[in-house]
Amino acid sequence: MPALDYNYVADLVTRAQSGDSDAFAELYATTYQKQYYFAYCYLKDEHLAQDALQETYILALKNLFKLKDPSLAVAWLNQINFRVCYNFHKKQLRYDMEMDDYYNMQHGNALSGPSDSPLPSEHNPEEMVIQVDSKEYIMNQILKLPFTEAQVIILKYYQNMKHDEIARLMDISRSSVKRYLISGRERLKKVLQPQGGNFYL
């Protein structure tokens, strides 16, 4: 994948902010390959990645005037793409869980009638709510971290990527990945441990 010319990208942003529609089209053509690569690695689905890419550039176009420093355009696009992919992934997980619940309900009804036997503890609704709330709280705290720290933590612990994969995806060194993981974990510990919660990352 060819390296981006950040000065050229910044010039395209400046022109696009001035109303040059061709400049935004060129900005897309110049940056989409890297953005698609990230979306595909994150979502692991070609169609979802294409949808995420479309959403990323729609948001970029709508909010382009808010970018005060055009030299930060690539980092800005990365943040938009990351948030879009995170939301897509979250929705997909919720959909998969709903479909699994529906299937299990239908499957259970088909094989057996009403039963007086108690549900196993892992299916206890109160326990499940507590677990979901805890995971949501931890994720919200991760998303409050500096962007790069949040990104490497989610890619490492939620997307199960290796350090080399993260480094290649984010265009940073392997040692930088380790450094961001350490600093991100330290910030999370300071937030989560005083709350009495367990920190498992």
Side-chain angles (χ1 to χ4, degrees), residues 89-102:
H89 184 64
K90 189 175 180 181
K91 289 178 182 178
Q92 187 64 37
L93 287 178
R94 186 182 300 120
Y95 173 78
D96 290 343
M97 288 176 63
E98 289 174 354
M99 293 303 296
D100 286 344
D101 289 344
Y102 176 77

Side-chain angles (χ1 to χ4, degrees), residues 148-149 152-153 156-157 162-164 166-167 170 172-186:
T148 307
E149 291 179 0
V152 295
I153 284 176
K156 168 69 175 177
Y157 296 107
K162 298 178 180 179
H163 290 184
D164 290 338
I166 297 172
M170 295 180 61
I172 58 178
S173 67
R174 195 172 188 275
S175 61
S176 294
V177 171
K178 291 182 178 180
R179 186 173 68 252
Y180 286 125
L181 284 173
I182 291 171
S183 58
R185 284 167 52 92
E186 289 302 315

Side-chain angles (χ1 to χ4, degrees), residues 7-116:
N7 291 329
Y8 179 59
V9 170
D11 179 62
L12 290 173
V13 169
T14 301
R15 287 163 48 196
Q17 288 176 326
S18 300
D20 186 344
S21 58
D22 290 338
F24 188 84
E26 181 62 22
L27 176 67
Y28 172 83
T30 302
T31 59
Y32 87 93
Q33 190 174 8
K34 182 178 177 62
Q35 296 303 322
Y36 175 79
Y37 177 67
F38 176 87
Y40 180 77
C41 289
Y42 192 109
L43 297 168
K44 298 178 174 62
D45 181 279
E46 180 181 348
H47 300 295
L48 282 178
Q50 290 172 349
D51 289 344
L53 197 68
Q54 182 179 17
E55 181 70 15
T56 294
Y57 282 96
I58 288 174
L59 289 171
L61 180 60
K62 286 181 178 179
N63 295 282
L64 192 64
F65 67 95
K66 295 180 181 179
L67 181 60
K68 303 303 181 184
D69 186 351
S71 68
L72 300 177
V74 174
W76 180 68
L77 270 176
N78 291 344
Q79 291 190 37
I80 296 174
N81 195 4
F82 175 74
R83 291 286 180 158
V84 168
C85 288
Y86 169 74
N87 289 332
F88 270 47
H89 184 64
K90 189 175 180 181
K91 289 178 182 178
Q92 187 64 37
L93 287 178
R94 186 182 300 120
Y95 173 78
D96 290 343
M97 288 176 63
E98 289 174 354
M99 293 303 296
D100 286 344
D101 289 344
Y102 176 77
Y103 173 80
N104 290 334
M105 182 179 67
Q106 295 297 320
H107 188 67
N109 289 342
L111 294 180
S112 60
S115 171
D116 294 329

